[in-house]
Amino acid sequence: MSENKKSLNFLEQIIEEDLANGLPQNQLRFRFPPEPNGYLHIGHAASICLNFGLGIRYQAPVNLRFDDTNPAKEEQEYVDAIKEDIQWLGFHWDKELYSSDYFDQLYQWAVQLIKEGKAYVDNQTSEEIAAQKGTPTEPGTNSPYRDRSVAENLELFEQMKRGELAEGAAVLRAKIDMSHVNMHMRDPIMYRILHKAHHRTGTTWKIYPMYDWTHGESDYIEQISHSICTLEFKPHRPLYDWYVDQIRDPNKLRPKQREFARRNLSYTIMSKRKLLRLVNEGYVTGWDDPRMPTISGLRRRGYTPASIINFSETAGISKRDNVTDVALLEYSVRDDLNKTAPRVMAVLNPVKLLITNYPEDKTELLQASYNDYDANFGSREVPFSREIYIEREDFKEEAPKKFFRLKLGGEVRLKNAYIIKATGVVKDNNGNIIEIHCTYDKDSLSGSGTEASKRKVKGTLHWVSIAHAKQVEVRIYDRLFLHEAPDADKEKDFIEFINPNSLSINKNAFVEPSLALAKVGDRFQFQRLGYFVVDKDTTAANLVFNRTVALKDTWAKKSESKPSQTSNRPEEAISKIFPYAGKYLKSREEEERQSLVATIYDLSKHVSSKGILSLIQSANSNKEYLTYLMILNSGNCPVDFTDKTNFSTANTFVGKALLLKNSYVRYRAVDFIRTYPEFKDNYLDLLKTMAIEDKNTKIIALLKEFL
């Protein structure tokens, strides 16, 4: 089986089977069908990436079809926002369509069903209809209006259409089977009366079709080959098929509905109704508040399209409901911004530092790279002077042994500048430090090539020149909820779990002058502080930055004091193993290495298979490869390698590990293949070559054991 085939998710497998069974490639067509009753959130992003991703993979058109059948909740604002979000993610639809485009056709088909005795007008209340539907184990009972004549049903349906009946006075129901094992097939409602203006059709219509009736028929009209829905619609599939079968031309393509699990995220609310409540009740500033899980909120917070797409691909497509850790989303943006955001200096909690032996009237323009690891980012000039700001947290008069920042009598390097030594402090009447005095080594300028510049000190601090710095507003955003599942407790209102510290505003922050011309949407790494983006509230007089994400997962640290338990937060559980893998790489004592392996294997009990699979694709260091390989091979984190997606992910990862220079990593990769022989054939030629040419005798011995 080819690599391409192994990497297919279950929906792609369905499509491949249909193509193999004779479906012409040019008949593939997909759609994304949002309801314009709110802004799209990260869960919808999964569906966007899936449907448009299929379109890209199969070079097939994808329609954007708005499910606008409920004028009570839908607005043009939501339509515009949805279009903006999809375009921002980088996707392009073939046709922009609306369910309301088909209101006339849907009505005509409904009349056809009435004439065929397959639909009837029911005058019962919604409560009466619900009561007569029965239960999953007991059949329903027929409506007293079920056997009305065709003529009477046609007249009543026309009265509904003309607006002559009040809301709730009547509905049109399909006549299917009140004893059907699937309750959705027990005479479902097709139309209800709503005397409300529609955002596109105005007051033309007084009756509006239900989603189930609209969905399949719209797919049929557009000739959608694969109608991909979330899992809650799986029980609706028989009804979808029944509706389509009543009206379809056998010579036309019959759409196929298939389902996948919706994206659920920890520490997050995904209900549009509940998100609307947050907006309406003022818990957030709007749908695009950076604490909201909406695509517009994530965009304003500084997330990139690539980070959201990568998150969706990493989290994958599942057949079963599950909860994805929000740490994986944060990891995705952190990983992307690490590669794309220029590094600059900002001080958020400033304290003045005076370099006493630096000339009072001198200013230097120092060269500073935007990324020390990638010259393509370029550089800028940063002014340096006698008086600078540093972070208040970066200085202590008396500090513990492992405090590697500035302390009295201690030395640190100022980023891109000089080595300084703290000599004294100035305090106010309350004993608070208001100024730190230092001296600098004038021969220690970074990059100057002098012996002094090469001198090693343990700490490096960021800073800004007071005379040149620009004062800005910085908004520090955190998770909106403190509870991992804020709406799971049926006894409590999810509002009770709102994080009171989800936003803090700092108007006394300072940035280097190169940021004075930063534009809305520009993203930066504030060195040692996190990733930030220029907010839309920025004005000529006030530059506003939002923190996108910290440099590290601070929530993992908060939970370290909790009892040890299996974690579904991949970064949190795996981060505890990294230090031991690092020690393993440095160790030269076999006894110590064996002890470290035992510790790693024990800790790996708390790593989920999903967690490890979601991260191995992004491994980029020997420590990460070694950590992930040891977890996979520990026996505590079983992964189902018969699953094609899991196999493909691990296969690619192990292949890269075999080619790394570090012998420990190669050894663990070989050991993995020995444990899971299903990978052996993929690398047999490489393994045979390694058995002869590898420089590590242990690897050669291991290979000879099982080749």
Side-chain angles (χ1 to χ4, degrees):
M1 184 176 287
S2 70
E3 179 69 20
N4 183 52
K5 292 286 185 181
K6 290 172 187 172
S7 65
L8 298 179
N9 62 48
F10 74 94
L11 292 170
E12 291 166 337
Q13 291 172 24
I14 290 170
I15 295 169
E16 291 288 343
E17 289 170 5
D18 289 340
L19 292 172
N21 291 331
L23 176 67
Q25 175 87 22
N26 62 8
Q27 287 192 14
L28 287 178
R29 180 178 285 273
F30 309 100
R31 89 286 175 269
F32 175 62
E35 182 180 1
N37 63 349
Y39 282 56
L40 299 182
H41 55 58
I42 188 65
H44 297 111
S47 182
I48 293 171
C49 293
L50 172 60
N51 282 286
F52 284 95
L54 289 172
I56 293 170
R57 181 184 182 100
Y58 292 102
Q59 297 183 324
V62 183
N63 290 348
L64 171 60
R65 185 213 307 146
F66 290 95
D67 170 31
D68 57 342
T69 58
N70 187 358
K73 296 183 178 180
E74 295 158 1
E75 299 178 18
Q76 185 63 39
E77 173 193 351
Y78 299 141
V79 171
D80 296 338
I82 289 169
K83 290 164 62 176
E84 181 182 3
D85 288 345
I86 296 171
Q87 291 171 328
W88 176 74
L89 285 171
F91 296 114
H92 306 281
W93 54 85
D94 180 49
K95 296 178 181 179
E96 180 182 327
L97 301 167
Y98 298 81
S99 294
S100 55
D101 294 336
Y102 313 130
F103 279 177
D104 284 316
Q105 178 63 78
L106 291 169
Y107 173 77
Q108 294 301 325
W109 278 334
V111 170
Q112 175 186 323
L113 263 60
I114 293 173
K115 290 179 178 179
E116 294 173 355
K118 296 176 180 177
Y120 62 95
V121 174
D122 195 335
N123 293 103
Q124 295 181 104
T125 65
S126 58
E127 292 77 14
E128 289 171 331
I129 292 174
Q132 73 169 202
K133 279 214 166 185
T135 69
T137 58
E138 297 178 354
T141 56
N142 289 345
S143 164
Y145 303 102
R146 196 174 197 266
D147 295 323
R148 275 175 161 156
S149 67
V150 169
E152 186 179 6
N153 281 319
L154 287 172
E155 174 56 29
L156 287 169
F157 191 45
E158 187 63 24
Q159 290 178 24
M160 291 170 60
K161 180 176 181 289
R162 291 195 299 261
E164 296 172 5
L165 301 180
E167 290 188 9
V171 295
L172 182 71
R173 296 177 69 180
K175 187 187 290 187
I176 305 178
D177 183 357
M178 289 302 294
S179 62
H180 199 287
V181 65
N182 186 327
M183 293 187 67
H184 295 290
M185 300 292 284
R186 296 181 185 179
D187 291 10
I189 296 173
M190 297 173 64
Y191 277 90
R192 77 284 204 198
I193 302 169
L194 288 173
H195 294 298
K196 292 179 173 63
H198 188 277
H199 72 102
R200 294 186 74 240
T201 63
T203 57
T204 301
W205 290 90
K206 314 299 181 185
I207 55 172
Y208 291 91
M210 301 297 289
Y211 176 81
D212 281 329
W213 168 240
T214 309
H215 177 206
E217 313 311 90
S218 299
D219 286 342
Y220 173 69
I221 291 170
E222 297 173 18
Q223 287 291 276
I224 301 301
S225 60
H226 296 81
S227 179
I228 298 170
C229 307
T230 46
L231 205 57
E232 67 266 29
F233 290 102
K234 186 170 185 177
H236 297 244
R237 195 199 296 178
L239 180 57
Y240 177 100
D241 292 338
W242 189 89
Y243 278 145
V244 171
D245 288 341
Q246 305 315 304
I247 53 88
R248 84 178 183 99
D249 180 338
N251 296 315
K252 289 187 176 182
L253 181 142
R254 183 183 187 278
K256 172 186 289 188
Q257 176 181 303
R258 290 297 181 265
E259 308 81 20
F260 71 102
R262 68 165 61 237
R263 175 81 69 243
N264 295 306
L265 207 61
S266 65
Y267 295 95
T268 309
I269 292 292
M270 304 292 266
S271 161
K272 279 196 281 189
R273 176 178 58 82
K274 293 178 179 177
L275 292 176
L276 180 60
R277 183 180 166 194
L278 291 172
V279 174
N280 289 341
E281 296 182 11
Y283 293 103
V284 294
T285 58
W287 284 98
D288 69 343
D289 187 297
R291 292 165 291 181
M292 292 279 274
T294 55
I295 296 175
S296 58
L298 293 169
R299 177 167 62 245
R300 186 174 175 188
R301 186 155 174 171
Y303 276 72
T304 61
S307 66
I308 293 176
I309 293 170
N310 291 339
F311 164 72
S312 296
E313 292 176 351
T314 302
I317 301 300
S318 173
K319 294 182 180 181
R320 293 185 294 274
D321 283 327
N322 56 80
V323 178
T324 302
D325 194 332
V326 70
L328 184 59
L329 176 62
E330 294 166 350
Y331 172 86
S332 296
V333 71
R334 194 180 288 118
D335 182 60
D336 187 50
L337 292 176
N338 182 51
K339 302 169 186 172
T340 59
R343 286 119 163 101
V344 296
M345 292 192 290
V347 176
L348 305 189
N349 186 17
V351 62
K352 181 179 177 181
L353 186 147
L354 176 65
I355 306 173
T356 56
N357 63 334
Y358 193 90
E360 292 186 23
D361 57 351
K362 182 178 180 180
T363 297
E364 289 182 80
L365 293 178
L366 305 180
Q367 284 296 316
S369 171
Y370 279 119
N371 189 323
D372 292 339
Y373 307 101
D374 188 345
N376 292 324
F377 275 76
S379 62
R380 79 282 188 197
E381 291 183 332
V382 178
F384 182 81
S385 61
R386 174 184 172 91
E387 296 181 348
I388 64 174
Y389 284 133
I390 66 169
E391 297 288 349
R392 188 170 292 275
E393 297 80 12
D394 282 344
F395 174 77
K396 290 184 182 295
E397 286 185 270
E398 297 180 4
K401 185 177 180 181
K402 292 190 176 181
F403 183 80
F404 297 128
R405 287 167 279 176
L406 187 61
K407 55 189 175 183
L408 282 180
E411 289 186 319
V412 296
R413 175 173 290 284
L414 296 174
K415 179 70 176 174
N416 302 307
Y418 298 94
I419 294 174
I420 59 171
K421 182 177 183 179
T423 57
V425 297
V426 177
K427 298 182 180 181
D428 62 17
N429 294 334
N430 296 318
N432 300 312
I433 296 173
I434 58 173
E435 189 170 296
I436 303 165
H437 286 187
C438 293
T439 58
Y440 86 117
D441 182 345
K442 65 179 181 179
D443 295 323
S444 65
L445 179 62
S446 293
S448 63
T450 64
E451 287 301 314
S453 70
K454 298 175 183 178
R455 188 156 55 88
K456 300 296 183 183
V457 291
K458 290 189 175 180
T460 300
L461 307 185
H462 60 276
W463 53 274
V464 292
S465 169
I466 294 177
H468 306 89
K470 180 174 179 59
Q471 189 168 357
V472 299
E473 177 180 326
V474 174
R475 299 171 182 176
I476 303 296
Y477 290 97
D478 204 346
R479 296 178 186 175
L480 185 56
F481 294 97
L482 295 170
H483 196 286
E484 190 171 13
D487 58 350
D489 192 329
K490 304 305 178 185
E491 303 299 320
K492 292 185 177 181
D493 188 345
F494 74 96
I495 295 295
E496 295 182 36
F497 298 113
I498 285 181
N499 179 5
N501 300 313
S502 62
L503 170 61
S504 61
I505 299 176
N506 176 2
K507 295 189 177 184
N508 191 42
F510 294 87
V511 298
E512 63 176 72
S514 70
L515 294 182
L517 299 178
K519 302 183 298 296
V520 173
D522 286 350
R523 304 178 184 91
F524 302 92
Q525 182 195 111
F526 288 179
Q527 291 184 338
R528 300 177 63 231
L529 298 174
Y531 296 98
F532 292 78
V533 65
V534 182
D535 186 71
K536 69 176 187 178
D537 287 344
T538 287
T539 65
N542 185 37
L543 187 57
V544 181
F545 287 93
N546 298 331
R547 188 179 73 176
T548 305
V549 68
L551 291 179
K552 295 182 179 180
D553 182 5
T554 56
W555 280 72
K557 292 182 179 179
K558 293 177 185 178
S559 59
E560 284 181 359
S561 60
K562 295 181 180 179
S564 179
Q565 57 184 352
T566 299
S567 173
N568 68 348
R569 296 192 286 275
E571 281 192 302
E572 176 182 333
I574 293 172
S575 65
K576 296 177 182 178
I577 299 177
F578 278 143
Y580 297 98
K583 291 178 181 178
Y584 185 98
L585 285 168
K586 295 177 181 178
S587 175
R588 295 295 178 266
E589 299 294 330
E590 182 63 28
E591 185 175 341
E592 182 184 17
R593 286 200 298 270
Q594 291 304 318
S595 174
L596 290 167
V597 170
T599 301
I600 291 170
Y601 279 15
D602 184 60
L603 288 171
S604 67
K605 295 175 183 176
H606 311 304
V607 178
S608 68
S609 59
K610 182 174 181 180
I612 183 70
L613 285 167
S614 70
L615 292 178
I616 63 176
Q617 298 177 83
S618 60
N620 59 12
S621 69
N622 288 328
K623 184 165 69 172
E624 287 185 343
Y625 273 96
L626 189 65
T627 299
Y628 300 155
L629 281 165
M630 295 176 84
I631 295 171
L632 280 170
N633 208 31
S634 66
N636 295 321
C637 181
V639 177
D640 179 13
F641 292 121
T642 62
D643 183 294
K644 295 177 181 179
T645 300
N646 293 352
F647 182 94
S648 176
T649 301
N651 188 56
T652 302
F653 167 75
V654 172
K656 292 179 180 178
L658 287 170
L659 299 175
L660 291 181
K661 292 182 180 180
N662 187 277
S663 60
Y664 290 152
V665 174
R666 295 200 310 280
Y667 180 89
R668 289 294 167 185
V670 171
D671 196 30
F672 173 85
I673 295 173
R674 184 182 65 164
T675 305
Y676 299 99
E678 53 263 56
F679 293 85
K680 182 177 177 181
D681 289 344
N682 294 54
Y683 298 109
L684 190 57
D685 291 341
L686 174 59
L687 294 172
K688 288 179 179 178
T689 302
M690 290 174 65
I692 300 171
E693 299 179 357
D694 201 282
K695 296 179 181 179
N696 188 285
T697 55
K698 285 194 172 184
I699 294 177
I700 292 174
L702 188 64
L703 284 164
K704 289 181 177 178
E705 284 183 22
F706 75 100
L707 283 181

